[in-house]
Every structure is written in structure tokens, then in C-alpha cells.
């Protein structure tokens, strides 16, 4: 699914609680991310095989009560999270974050 | 005001003056100069009208045009005999920057290229010197850690001083500048792995006392590598200028650099085509050694601004070797004019971005 610039440009980034992040996109869509959902998708080389993309970090490795310790902007294209398990090497580009949107509409579109 | 105007019933009021000034549009920002807040200190005394026209850059390519239009319109009002315009400028802060260590820096512009040898450093130095000559406060960072050339082009090759743990940038050509070339001897090669390069660049950005700057120009190494990624991640760039030769555009090498900037969401301010044509030093004839119009065609195809052409001119090279950029040494030369116009277009693009880009922050 090719997404246009508005769909992948956030206009608001808000930590609603230690365990939930809200992104509002330029196309008006809103994405609510529970912290464990994002932690399980971490794209860094320690969590995903760099060549094959296969998961190294398995979903069951991430506890359901994991939270954001820090959320930082990376330049103008991505977010970097520090989690309560101490991990902080993943860089989540805005494109990737929009693809990960767990809402029903987006899930249905990506299938 | 009414009692003051009693004996001069023909003098216009402030509203009337502002109403006609609203007809003057900034062609880049596509808004009128009154709504943009460019009119300051409006004073009407009898038949004379005075005001400041405060632009977003001292290097505005259309400043004379806007001033003349404003004067003409106000003069046409009944009761006005004299119009005085004081041209001022205030470079706007890119919305993204003040979070970082570069607090006093309003705009950061990277100059990149697809491959080496296209004259990127020459263009970067001359853009920076032109902006400074126009009255802006400008810094230049030579980010080409592997082959730094700006110390030669600016004629300063001594190491910078430090105060405490802050590096004091060197001053030359009206610029504050810093280069890795000043930290190592010029004839010594730098053989570093990525993490070292990243560290060095971060030091040049964050440990240098840049102070208050309207523009910080960063001369990137060629291609796409560690330095580019570090820059894209460490600081919010206002935008990037891509330098290419007509040939390089033909070979699509600069496309890679373009995509890198797009992927990291760095706005492309435009393409500069260098070595567009050759001016013979003997007969002044003009030859298109590498073909014609490649840069402007590519810009049009990609929907990005074309900032201009710079000739392959011996004087540009010799001035670089002498340590004074051509825009300062020979300001009237035609190559200097081309370079100055490019600098003005860059400044205009930066102004546009400073109005467009929304400030992102994590709430």
C-alpha cells in the first residue's frame, strides 16, 4: 500500500500515558499505539535480522506492561523510543509508524 | 489623529496606507506584505509617509521590486508627496531548530552532491559569503571530514582556539567557519571508521560556539554516508541544496542523494548546476562542454526549484586557491553574479520553508 506524504506526516505526537502514544497525521487519521505493540515491532538490528528481516525479538519476549521511558524526535523523519526494559536503539520512521497503525481500518487495508 | 489632520484634510490615514500596501505581494511567500507583518514603524507626518519594510532575509532577490512597488502605490495616494522606505530584515527561525544545542542558529542548510568533484565546496563557500555580504549572520561548517577544502578556499589554515570546552570558530570572508581541516594537518589523511566520523561531526556542530546565526551552511561530503545520516538524525535541517554538473544529472547520480534527503524528510531547496558552460579566458566564448539544460530539466521533472547555473570559470578556481571567494574578490564578474543570484534564491527558499514547516514536538 503506497501512502502519500500527508498520510505519513504527523502533525501531533502526544504521550497520552506512560503506556500509550497518540499520533495525529496530516490526513486527519489518528493512531493510538500501546507501548508493547511498538516495542514488539522494533526494527533495530538487535530485534530484527538485518538481512532477512526475520524477527529476533519474539512477541512473547515483551511484557504487556512495558512502557515508554522517553520519546525523542529523530531529525524530521522518525521517532526513537526508550522503553522501560532499557532498550533504545530502534528508529521508527514516520512511514513505518503509519504502516504499523493498529486501527481496524488500517489493518483491513493492509490485508 | 483626527485633530492633527484637521488642517491637512488631504493627508491619508494609516488604514489607507496599509490598504494600498496590501496590494504588494511577496512572490515567494504568496502573501501581501501587510499580512506578513513586513511593514513596521509606519509614520505619517503631513504629506510625508515613512515606514520600515522588514523582509525575511537581507539577501531577498525581489527586495528592490517590492520596495519600488510599495513606494509607487503610497505615492499615488492623494495628499502624499514624499515616501521614505527603510529596508530592514529579520531572518525567521526554522520552527524545528531551537530544541537542539544550536539554539542561536535560525536556519541550517546542507549542501550535498551525488558524487565528488562537482564543485560542492566552492558553491557552498560562495553561497555563504554572498549571504554574509548581503548583511546576514552566516556560519559555514565543512562537514567533508575526509577531504576538507574550505580552509584553503577561505585562506585560514590555523587550528581554532578553545575556551573551556567550546571551540571558537574562525572568522573569514565575513563568516564564522569551522572545518575538520582545522583540527588535523591538511596534508594528513583522515582514516576513520563511521563512528569516528559521526563523533567528529557532532563535535563540530555542538561544541563550536556558533552564537547567533541567520544561516549555518553545511558543506557535506559527496554521496550518502555516515555524515549525512548523522546530520539527518542529530539536527533538524531547514533544507538541502544539491549541486550537480550537467553530466552528473544526465547520469542520474544526484538522484541517490535526492532520495536520501527525501527519505529523511529533509526539504530540498533546489538544484544548482555547476560547470554548466565554459567561458574561454582568451576570447570569452561560451561552450556547453557537458550539454545544455540538464539541471533545469531534472529540476522540472522532479518538481524542485532550479537555483541556477554556474560556469566553469578559471577565476572561480583561482580565487578559491587564493583564499578569497570570487563573490568577494570580484563581485562584478558574471560568475559572481550567478553565484549571488543562487544565494538569494536559497535565502528565498529558506524563507518559504520557515513559513510552511510545522513545528513538531513530542507532547
Amino acid at each position: 500500500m503506497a501512502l502519500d506524504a500527508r498520510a505519513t506526516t504527523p502533525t501531533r505526537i502526544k504521550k497520552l500515558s506512560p503506556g500509550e502514544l497518540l499520533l495525529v497525521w496530516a490526513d486527519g487519521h489518528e493512531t493510538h499505539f500501546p507501548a508493547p505493540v511498538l516495542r514488539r515491532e522494533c526494527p533495530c538490528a538487535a530485534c530484527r535480522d538485518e538481512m532477512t528481516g526475520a524477527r529476533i525479538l519474539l512477541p512473547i519476549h515483551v511484557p504487556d506492561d512495558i512502557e515508554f521511558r522517553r520519546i525523542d524526535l529523530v531529525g524530521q523523519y522518525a521517532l526513537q523510543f526508550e522503553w522501560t526494559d532499557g532498550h533504545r536503539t530502534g528508529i521508527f520512521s514516520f512511514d513505518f509508524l503509519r504502516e504499523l497503525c493498529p486501527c481496524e481500518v488500517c489493518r483491513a487495508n493492509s490485508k | 489623529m483626527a485633530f492633527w489632520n484637521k488642517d491637512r484634510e488631504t493627508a491619508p490615514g494609516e488604514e489607507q496606507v496599509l490598504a494600498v500596501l496590501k496590494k504588494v505581494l511577496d512572490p515567494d511567500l504568496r502573501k501581501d506584505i501587510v499580512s506578513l507583518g513586513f511593514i513596521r514603524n509606519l509614520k505619517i507626518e503631513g504629506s510625508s509617509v515613512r515606514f520600515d519594510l522588514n523582509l525575511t532575509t537581507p539577501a531577498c532577490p525581489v527586495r528592490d521590486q517590492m520596495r519600488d512597488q510599495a513606494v509607487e502605490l503610497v505615492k499615488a495616494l492623494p495628499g502624499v508627496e514624499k515616501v521614505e522606505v527603510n529596508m530592514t530584515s529579520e531572518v525567521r527561525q526554522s520552527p524545528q531548530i531551537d530544541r537542539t544545542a544550536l539554539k542561536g542558529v535560525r536556519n541550517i542548510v546542507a549542501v550535498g552532491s551525488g558524487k565528488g568533484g562537482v564543485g560542492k565546496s566552492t558553491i557552498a563557500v560562495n553561497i555563504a559569503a554572498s549571504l554574509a555580504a548581503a548583511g546576514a549572520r552566516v556560519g559555514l561548517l565543512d562537514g567533508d571530514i575526509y577531504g576538507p577544502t574550505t580552509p584553503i578556499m577561505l585562506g585560514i589554515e590555523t587550528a581554532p582556539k578553545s575556551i573551556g570546552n567550546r571551540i571558537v570558530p574562525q572568522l573569514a570572508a565575513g563568516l564564522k567557519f569551522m572545518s575538520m581541516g582545522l583540527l588535523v594537518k591538511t596534508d594528513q589523511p583522515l582514516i576513520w571508521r563511521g563512528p569516528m566520523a559521526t563523533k567528529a561531526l557532532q563535535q563540530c556542530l555542538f561544541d563550536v560556539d556558533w552564537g547567533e546565526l541567520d544561516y549555518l551552511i553545511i558543506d557535506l561530503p559527496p554521496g550518502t554516508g555516515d555524515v549525512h545520516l548523522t546530520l539527518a538524525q542529530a539536527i533538524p535541517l531547514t533544507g538541502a541544496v544539491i549541486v550537480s554538473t550537467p553530466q552528473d544529472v544526465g547520469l542520474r547520480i544526484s538522484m541517490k542523494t535526492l532520495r536520501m534527503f527525501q527519505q529523511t524528510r529533509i526539504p530540498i531547496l533546489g538544484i544548482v548546476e555547476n560547470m554548466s558552460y565554459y567561458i574561454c579566458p582568451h576570447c570569452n566564448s561560451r561552450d556547453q562542454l557537458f550539454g545544455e539544460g540538464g539541471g533545469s530539466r531534472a529540476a522540472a521533472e522532479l518538481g524542485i526549484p532550479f537555483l541556477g547555473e554556474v560556469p566553469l570559470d578559471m577565476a572561480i578556481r583561482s580565487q578559491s586557491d587564493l583564499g578569497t571567494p570570487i563573490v568577494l574578490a570580484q563581485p562584478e564578474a558574471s560568475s559572481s553574479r550567478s553565484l549571488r543570484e543562487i544565494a538569494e534564491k536559497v535565502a528565498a527558499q529558506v524563507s518559504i520553508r520557515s513559513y510552511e514547516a510545522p513545528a513538531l514536538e513530542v507532547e
Side-chain angles (χ1 to χ4, degrees), chain A residues 35-73:
Chain A
V37 169
L38 278 180
R39 176 68 186 92
R40 288 178 182 127
E41 297 294 341
C42 179
C44 85
C47 296
R48 286 258 180 188
D49 188 284
E50 274 189 280
M51 296 300 163
T52 64
R55 283 178 197 274
I56 298 169
L57 173 88
L58 298 176
I60 52 158
H61 294 151
V62 177
D64 287 331
D65 61 354
I66 199 166
E67 291 178 343
F68 300 108
R69 196 180 277 162
R70 253 187 96 123
I71 302 175
D72 287 308
L73 274 164

mmCIF file of all heavy atoms in Angstrom, chain A residues 35-73:
data_model
loop_
_atom_site.group_PDB
_atom_site.id
_atom_site.type_symbol
_atom_site.label_atom_id
_atom_site.label_comp_id
_atom_site.label_asym_id
_atom_site.label_seq_id
_atom_site.Cartn_x
_atom_site.Cartn_y
_atom_site.Cartn_z
ATOM 1 N N ALA A 35 2.265 0.888 24.112
ATOM 2 C CA ALA A 35 3.717 0.715 24.128
ATOM 3 C C ALA A 35 4.180 -0.693 23.732
ATOM 4 O O ALA A 35 5.109 -0.826 22.930
ATOM 5 C CB ALA A 35 4.291 1.127 25.482
ATOM 6 N N PRO A 36 3.574 -1.764 24.257
ATOM 7 C CA PRO A 36 4.088 -3.094 23.883
ATOM 8 C C PRO A 36 3.952 -3.400 22.393
ATOM 9 O O PRO A 36 4.796 -4.104 21.831
ATOM 10 C CB PRO A 36 3.247 -4.072 24.714
ATOM 11 C CG PRO A 36 2.211 -3.286 25.408
ATOM 12 C CD PRO A 36 2.540 -1.832 25.302
ATOM 13 N N VAL A 37 2.915 -2.872 21.746
ATOM 14 C CA VAL A 37 2.736 -3.109 20.309
ATOM 15 C C VAL A 37 3.933 -2.567 19.534
ATOM 16 O O VAL A 37 4.493 -3.232 18.660
ATOM 17 C CB VAL A 37 1.423 -2.444 19.806
ATOM 18 C CG1 VAL A 37 1.365 -2.440 18.286
ATOM 19 C CG2 VAL A 37 0.215 -3.162 20.394
ATOM 20 N N LEU A 38 4.377 -1.362 19.888
ATOM 21 C CA LEU A 38 5.525 -0.768 19.209
ATOM 22 C C LEU A 38 6.822 -1.486 19.564
ATOM 23 O O LEU A 38 7.663 -1.730 18.708
ATOM 24 C CB LEU A 38 5.657 0.715 19.570
ATOM 25 C CG LEU A 38 4.776 1.688 18.790
ATOM 26 C CD1 LEU A 38 5.034 3.111 19.257
ATOM 27 C CD2 LEU A 38 5.045 1.584 17.287
ATOM 28 N N ARG A 39 6.968 -1.833 20.834
ATOM 29 C CA ARG A 39 8.211 -2.492 21.259
ATOM 30 C C ARG A 39 8.419 -3.780 20.470
ATOM 31 O O ARG A 39 9.532 -4.106 20.068
ATOM 32 C CB ARG A 39 8.163 -2.766 22.772
ATOM 33 C CG ARG A 39 9.369 -3.539 23.314
ATOM 34 C CD ARG A 39 10.650 -2.709 23.243
ATOM 35 N NE ARG A 39 11.835 -3.479 23.622
ATOM 36 C CZ ARG A 39 12.603 -4.138 22.759
ATOM 37 N NH1 ARG A 39 12.305 -4.133 21.467
ATOM 38 N NH2 ARG A 39 13.676 -4.796 23.181
ATOM 39 N N ARG A 40 7.321 -4.491 20.222
ATOM 40 C CA ARG A 40 7.425 -5.785 19.510
ATOM 41 C C ARG A 40 7.799 -5.598 18.052
ATOM 42 O O ARG A 40 8.290 -6.509 17.404
ATOM 43 C CB ARG A 40 6.096 -6.550 19.613
ATOM 44 C CG ARG A 40 5.869 -7.086 20.999
ATOM 45 C CD ARG A 40 4.538 -7.812 21.180
ATOM 46 N NE ARG A 40 4.430 -8.226 22.576
ATOM 47 C CZ ARG A 40 3.401 -7.944 23.379
ATOM 48 N NH1 ARG A 40 2.361 -7.275 22.919
ATOM 49 N NH2 ARG A 40 3.420 -8.338 24.629
ATOM 50 N N GLU A 41 7.564 -4.425 17.504
ATOM 51 C CA GLU A 41 7.875 -4.180 16.089
ATOM 52 C C GLU A 41 9.227 -3.500 15.900
ATOM 53 O O GLU A 41 9.556 -3.062 14.804
ATOM 54 C CB GLU A 41 6.788 -3.303 15.451
ATOM 55 C CG GLU A 41 5.411 -3.929 15.415
ATOM 56 C CD GLU A 41 5.344 -5.148 14.497
ATOM 57 O OE1 GLU A 41 6.235 -5.302 13.632
ATOM 58 O OE2 GLU A 41 4.405 -5.949 14.658
ATOM 59 N N CYS A 42 10.004 -3.354 16.969
ATOM 60 C CA CYS A 42 11.274 -2.618 16.881
ATOM 61 C C CYS A 42 12.111 -3.090 15.686
ATOM 62 O O CYS A 42 12.398 -4.276 15.555
ATOM 63 C CB CYS A 42 12.086 -2.765 18.168
ATOM 64 S SG CYS A 42 13.660 -1.874 18.063
ATOM 65 N N PRO A 43 12.470 -2.154 14.793
ATOM 66 C CA PRO A 43 13.181 -2.535 13.572
ATOM 67 C C PRO A 43 14.702 -2.566 13.714
ATOM 68 O O PRO A 43 15.404 -2.742 12.716
ATOM 69 C CB PRO A 43 12.770 -1.430 12.600
ATOM 70 C CG PRO A 43 12.607 -0.214 13.473
ATOM 71 C CD PRO A 43 12.163 -0.714 14.836
ATOM 72 N N CYS A 44 15.233 -2.393 14.920
ATOM 73 C CA CYS A 44 16.693 -2.288 15.043
ATOM 74 C C CYS A 44 17.368 -3.636 14.786
ATOM 75 O O CYS A 44 16.732 -4.686 14.805
ATOM 76 C CB CYS A 44 17.095 -1.724 16.409
ATOM 77 S SG CYS A 44 17.214 -2.960 17.707
ATOM 78 N N ALA A 45 18.668 -3.581 14.571
ATOM 79 C CA ALA A 45 19.413 -4.778 14.157
ATOM 80 C C ALA A 45 19.440 -5.852 15.248
ATOM 81 O O ALA A 45 19.645 -7.031 14.954
ATOM 82 C CB ALA A 45 20.835 -4.403 13.768
ATOM 83 N N ALA A 46 19.217 -5.440 16.503
ATOM 84 C CA ALA A 46 19.211 -6.429 17.572
ATOM 85 C C ALA A 46 17.865 -7.149 17.657
ATOM 86 O O ALA A 46 17.770 -8.253 18.188
ATOM 87 C CB ALA A 46 19.530 -5.758 18.908
ATOM 88 N N CYS A 47 16.826 -6.524 17.128
ATOM 89 C CA CYS A 47 15.477 -7.102 17.232
ATOM 90 C C CYS A 47 15.017 -7.767 15.932
ATOM 91 O O CYS A 47 14.094 -8.570 15.920
ATOM 92 C CB CYS A 47 14.472 -6.027 17.635
ATOM 93 S SG CYS A 47 14.775 -5.329 19.277
ATOM 94 N N ARG A 48 15.618 -7.364 14.826
ATOM 95 C CA ARG A 48 15.270 -7.912 13.517
ATOM 96 C C ARG A 48 16.546 -8.262 12.780
ATOM 97 O O ARG A 48 17.498 -7.481 12.806
ATOM 98 C CB ARG A 48 14.567 -6.836 12.665
ATOM 99 C CG ARG A 48 13.163 -6.552 13.067
ATOM 100 C CD ARG A 48 12.227 -7.242 12.124
ATOM 101 N NE ARG A 48 10.841 -6.981 12.501
ATOM 102 C CZ ARG A 48 9.816 -7.600 11.931
ATOM 103 N NH1 ARG A 48 10.021 -8.473 10.962
ATOM 104 N NH2 ARG A 48 8.602 -7.345 12.317
ATOM 105 N N ASP A 49 16.577 -9.383 12.091
ATOM 106 C CA ASP A 49 17.753 -9.703 11.304
ATOM 107 C C ASP A 49 17.902 -8.683 10.176
ATOM 108 O O ASP A 49 16.960 -8.423 9.433
ATOM 109 C CB ASP A 49 17.643 -11.112 10.707
ATOM 110 C CG ASP A 49 18.940 -11.532 10.038
ATOM 111 O OD1 ASP A 49 19.230 -11.059 8.914
ATOM 112 O OD2 ASP A 49 19.679 -12.320 10.656
ATOM 113 N N GLU A 50 19.105 -8.091 10.076
ATOM 114 C CA GLU A 50 19.299 -7.000 9.125
ATOM 115 C C GLU A 50 19.126 -7.431 7.679
ATOM 116 O O GLU A 50 18.719 -6.665 6.833
ATOM 117 C CB GLU A 50 20.709 -6.402 9.290
ATOM 118 C CG GLU A 50 20.779 -5.340 10.341
ATOM 119 C CD GLU A 50 22.122 -4.633 10.299
ATOM 120 O OE1 GLU A 50 23.094 -5.191 10.836
ATOM 121 O OE2 GLU A 50 22.185 -3.539 9.721
ATOM 122 N N MET A 51 19.496 -8.679 7.397
ATOM 123 C CA MET A 51 19.452 -9.135 6.010
ATOM 124 C C MET A 51 18.085 -9.703 5.645
ATOM 125 O O MET A 51 17.511 -9.365 4.628
ATOM 126 C CB MET A 51 20.521 -10.220 5.778
ATOM 127 C CG MET A 51 21.932 -9.704 5.947
ATOM 128 S SD MET A 51 22.262 -8.361 4.784
ATOM 129 C CE MET A 51 23.694 -7.634 5.513
ATOM 130 N N THR A 52 17.572 -10.593 6.507
ATOM 131 C CA THR A 52 16.342 -11.290 6.149
ATOM 132 C C THR A 52 15.092 -10.599 6.683
ATOM 133 O O THR A 52 13.987 -10.840 6.206
ATOM 134 C CB THR A 52 16.355 -12.724 6.723
ATOM 135 O OG1 THR A 52 16.362 -12.620 8.165
ATOM 136 C CG2 THR A 52 17.584 -13.477 6.270
ATOM 137 N N GLY A 53 15.249 -9.734 7.684
ATOM 138 C CA GLY A 53 14.076 -9.096 8.282
ATOM 139 C C GLY A 53 13.350 -10.017 9.259
ATOM 140 O O GLY A 53 12.322 -9.653 9.816
ATOM 141 N N ALA A 54 13.888 -11.218 9.470
ATOM 142 C CA ALA A 54 13.236 -12.168 10.382
ATOM 143 C C ALA A 54 13.301 -11.653 11.823
ATOM 144 O O ALA A 54 14.267 -10.991 12.217
ATOM 145 C CB ALA A 54 13.925 -13.526 10.287
ATOM 146 N N ARG A 55 12.266 -11.971 12.602
ATOM 147 C CA ARG A 55 12.234 -11.496 13.985
ATOM 148 C C ARG A 55 13.290 -12.200 14.834
ATOM 149 O O ARG A 55 13.387 -13.424 14.817
ATOM 150 C CB ARG A 55 10.873 -11.804 14.620
ATOM 151 C CG ARG A 55 9.777 -10.870 14.195
ATOM 152 C CD ARG A 55 8.464 -11.312 14.844
ATOM 153 N NE ARG A 55 7.332 -10.704 14.174
ATOM 154 C CZ ARG A 55 6.848 -9.495 14.483
ATOM 155 N NH1 ARG A 55 7.398 -8.790 15.450
ATOM 156 N NH2 ARG A 55 5.815 -9.013 13.835
ATOM 157 N N ILE A 56 14.063 -11.420 15.564
ATOM 158 C CA ILE A 56 14.965 -11.991 16.556
ATOM 159 C C ILE A 56 14.279 -11.867 17.912
ATOM 160 O O ILE A 56 14.244 -12.779 18.722
ATOM 161 C CB ILE A 56 16.315 -11.235 16.572
ATOM 162 C CG1 ILE A 56 16.995 -11.380 15.202
ATOM 163 C CG2 ILE A 56 17.210 -11.758 17.698
ATOM 164 C CD1 ILE A 56 18.201 -10.470 15.015
ATOM 165 N N LEU A 57 13.681 -10.687 18.114
ATOM 166 C CA LEU A 57 12.880 -10.459 19.313
ATOM 167 C C LEU A 57 11.487 -11.029 19.024
ATOM 168 O O LEU A 57 10.828 -10.630 18.066
ATOM 169 C CB LEU A 57 12.767 -8.950 19.570
ATOM 170 C CG LEU A 57 11.832 -8.549 20.694
ATOM 171 C CD1 LEU A 57 12.570 -8.543 22.026
ATOM 172 C CD2 LEU A 57 11.222 -7.172 20.426
ATOM 173 N N LEU A 58 11.066 -11.977 19.823
ATOM 174 C CA LEU A 58 9.737 -12.556 19.612
ATOM 175 C C LEU A 58 8.708 -11.817 20.474
ATOM 176 O O LEU A 58 9.045 -11.329 21.565
ATOM 177 C CB LEU A 58 9.753 -14.045 19.952
ATOM 178 C CG LEU A 58 10.705 -14.869 19.073
ATOM 179 C CD1 LEU A 58 10.752 -16.325 19.532
ATOM 180 C CD2 LEU A 58 10.305 -14.795 17.594
ATOM 181 N N PRO A 59 7.471 -11.748 19.984
ATOM 182 C CA PRO A 59 6.439 -11.011 20.730
ATOM 183 C C PRO A 59 6.330 -11.429 22.204
ATOM 184 O O PRO A 59 6.126 -10.578 23.064
ATOM 185 C CB PRO A 59 5.163 -11.332 19.964
ATOM 186 C CG PRO A 59 5.628 -11.574 18.564
ATOM 187 C CD PRO A 59 6.992 -12.197 18.679
ATOM 188 N N ILE A 60 6.528 -12.732 22.465
ATOM 189 C CA ILE A 60 6.392 -13.164 23.857
ATOM 190 C C ILE A 60 7.517 -12.656 24.759
ATOM 191 O O ILE A 60 7.407 -12.703 25.982
ATOM 192 C CB ILE A 60 6.337 -14.718 23.986
ATOM 193 C CG1 ILE A 60 7.529 -15.345 23.235
ATOM 194 C CG2 ILE A 60 5.028 -15.284 23.474
ATOM 195 C CD1 ILE A 60 7.865 -16.746 23.745
ATOM 196 N N HIS A 61 8.603 -12.162 24.143
ATOM 197 C CA HIS A 61 9.690 -11.618 24.957
ATOM 198 C C HIS A 61 9.319 -10.274 25.590
ATOM 199 O O HIS A 61 9.997 -9.796 26.489
ATOM 200 C CB HIS A 61 10.959 -11.385 24.103
ATOM 201 C CG HIS A 61 11.555 -12.664 23.588
ATOM 202 N ND1 HIS A 61 12.270 -12.719 22.416
ATOM 203 C CD2 HIS A 61 11.540 -13.928 24.068
ATOM 204 C CE1 HIS A 61 12.671 -13.962 22.194
ATOM 205 N NE2 HIS A 61 12.232 -14.717 23.197
ATOM 206 N N VAL A 62 8.290 -9.642 25.050
ATOM 207 C CA VAL A 62 7.944 -8.292 25.516
ATOM 208 C C VAL A 62 6.757 -8.372 26.484
ATOM 209 O O VAL A 62 5.670 -8.797 26.089
ATOM 210 C CB VAL A 62 7.583 -7.388 24.317
ATOM 211 C CG1 VAL A 62 7.153 -6.005 24.803
ATOM 212 C CG2 VAL A 62 8.752 -7.280 23.356
ATOM 213 N N PRO A 63 6.964 -7.948 27.722
ATOM 214 C CA PRO A 63 5.859 -7.991 28.681
ATOM 215 C C PRO A 63 4.759 -6.983 28.320
ATOM 216 O O PRO A 63 5.051 -5.931 27.754
ATOM 217 C CB PRO A 63 6.522 -7.608 30.012
ATOM 218 C CG PRO A 63 7.761 -6.874 29.644
ATOM 219 C CD PRO A 63 8.205 -7.427 28.324
ATOM 220 N N ASP A 64 3.526 -7.327 28.625
ATOM 221 C CA ASP A 64 2.406 -6.455 28.259
ATOM 222 C C ASP A 64 2.397 -5.130 29.018
ATOM 223 O O ASP A 64 1.734 -4.186 28.609
ATOM 224 C CB ASP A 64 1.068 -7.180 28.504
ATOM 225 C CG ASP A 64 0.848 -8.259 27.457
ATOM 226 O OD1 ASP A 64 1.355 -8.104 26.329
ATOM 227 O OD2 ASP A 64 0.181 -9.277 27.773
ATOM 228 N N ASP A 65 3.157 -5.090 30.118
ATOM 229 C CA ASP A 65 3.117 -3.841 30.895
ATOM 230 C C ASP A 65 4.323 -2.939 30.612
ATOM 231 O O ASP A 65 4.604 -2.023 31.364
ATOM 232 C CB ASP A 65 3.015 -4.149 32.399
ATOM 233 C CG ASP A 65 4.224 -4.947 32.899
ATOM 234 O OD1 ASP A 65 5.072 -5.360 32.054
ATOM 235 O OD2 ASP A 65 4.327 -5.171 34.116
ATOM 236 N N ILE A 66 5.014 -3.202 29.492
ATOM 237 C CA ILE A 66 6.165 -2.353 29.168
ATOM 238 C C ILE A 66 5.671 -0.933 28.843
ATOM 239 O O ILE A 66 4.563 -0.743 28.333
ATOM 240 C CB ILE A 66 6.968 -2.950 27.979
ATOM 241 C CG1 ILE A 66 8.383 -2.357 27.952
ATOM 242 C CG2 ILE A 66 6.266 -2.691 26.652
ATOM 243 C CD1 ILE A 66 9.336 -3.120 27.059
ATOM 244 N N GLU A 67 6.497 0.070 29.194
ATOM 245 C CA GLU A 67 6.072 1.454 28.979
ATOM 246 C C GLU A 67 7.178 2.259 28.296
ATOM 247 O O GLU A 67 8.319 1.809 28.200
ATOM 248 C CB GLU A 67 5.730 2.104 30.331
ATOM 249 C CG GLU A 67 4.481 1.506 30.950
ATOM 250 C CD GLU A 67 4.153 2.094 32.314
ATOM 251 O OE1 GLU A 67 5.047 2.725 32.925
ATOM 252 O OE2 GLU A 67 3.001 1.917 32.751
ATOM 253 N N PHE A 68 6.791 3.468 27.820
ATOM 254 C CA PHE A 68 7.783 4.388 27.252
ATOM 255 C C PHE A 68 8.500 5.089 28.393
ATOM 256 O O PHE A 68 7.866 5.623 29.296
ATOM 257 C CB PHE A 68 7.116 5.492 26.413
ATOM 258 C CG PHE A 68 6.304 4.987 25.256
ATOM 259 C CD1 PHE A 68 4.918 5.050 25.274
ATOM 260 C CD2 PHE A 68 6.925 4.484 24.121
ATOM 261 C CE1 PHE A 68 4.161 4.615 24.198
ATOM 262 C CE2 PHE A 68 6.177 4.044 23.035
ATOM 263 C CZ PHE A 68 4.789 4.106 23.075
ATOM 264 N N ARG A 69 9.828 5.110 28.336
ATOM 265 C CA ARG A 69 10.548 5.911 29.316
ATOM 266 C C ARG A 69 10.841 7.289 28.695
ATOM 267 O O ARG A 69 10.816 8.302 29.353
ATOM 268 C CB ARG A 69 11.855 5.202 29.693
ATOM 269 C CG ARG A 69 12.487 5.728 30.973
ATOM 270 C CD ARG A 69 13.782 4.981 31.295
ATOM 271 N NE ARG A 69 13.535 3.722 31.999
ATOM 272 C CZ ARG A 69 14.448 2.744 32.064
ATOM 273 N NH1 ARG A 69 15.614 2.863 31.458
ATOM 274 N NH2 ARG A 69 14.173 1.640 32.720
ATOM 275 N N ARG A 70 11.118 7.277 27.400
ATOM 276 C CA ARG A 70 11.424 8.525 26.677
ATOM 277 C C ARG A 70 10.957 8.409 25.244
ATOM 278 O O ARG A 70 11.048 7.338 24.646
ATOM 279 C CB ARG A 70 12.944 8.692 26.609
ATOM 280 C CG ARG A 70 13.510 9.745 27.486
ATOM 281 C CD ARG A 70 14.973 9.863 27.127
ATOM 282 N NE ARG A 70 15.062 10.968 26.175
ATOM 283 C CZ ARG A 70 15.827 12.019 26.379
ATOM 284 N NH1 ARG A 70 16.589 12.071 27.430
ATOM 285 N NH2 ARG A 70 15.849 12.997 25.509
ATOM 286 N N ILE A 71 10.522 9.505 24.672
ATOM 287 C CA ILE A 71 10.201 9.554 23.242
ATOM 288 C C ILE A 71 10.922 10.753 22.655
ATOM 289 O O ILE A 71 10.761 11.871 23.131
ATOM 290 C CB ILE A 71 8.672 9.688 23.016
ATOM 291 C CG1 ILE A 71 7.935 8.524 23.677
ATOM 292 C CG2 ILE A 71 8.363 9.756 21.515
ATOM 293 C CD1 ILE A 71 6.420 8.624 23.615
ATOM 294 N N ASP A 72 11.755 10.504 21.650
ATOM 295 C CA ASP A 72 12.514 11.603 21.040
ATOM 296 C C ASP A 72 12.285 11.662 19.540
ATOM 297 O O ASP A 72 12.131 10.624 18.887
ATOM 298 C CB ASP A 72 14.024 11.399 21.267
ATOM 299 C CG ASP A 72 14.419 11.660 22.706
ATOM 300 O OD1 ASP A 72 14.073 12.740 23.210
ATOM 301 O OD2 ASP A 72 15.046 10.770 23.320
ATOM 302 N N LEU A 73 12.302 12.871 19.003
ATOM 303 C CA LEU A 73 12.274 13.029 17.555
ATOM 304 C C LEU A 73 13.669 12.751 17.003
ATOM 305 O O LEU A 73 14.665 13.128 17.611
ATOM 306 C CB LEU A 73 11.915 14.468 17.193
ATOM 307 C CG LEU A 73 10.432 14.808 17.110
ATOM 308 C CD1 LEU A 73 10.256 16.308 17.128
ATOM 309 C CD2 LEU A 73 9.842 14.230 15.828
#
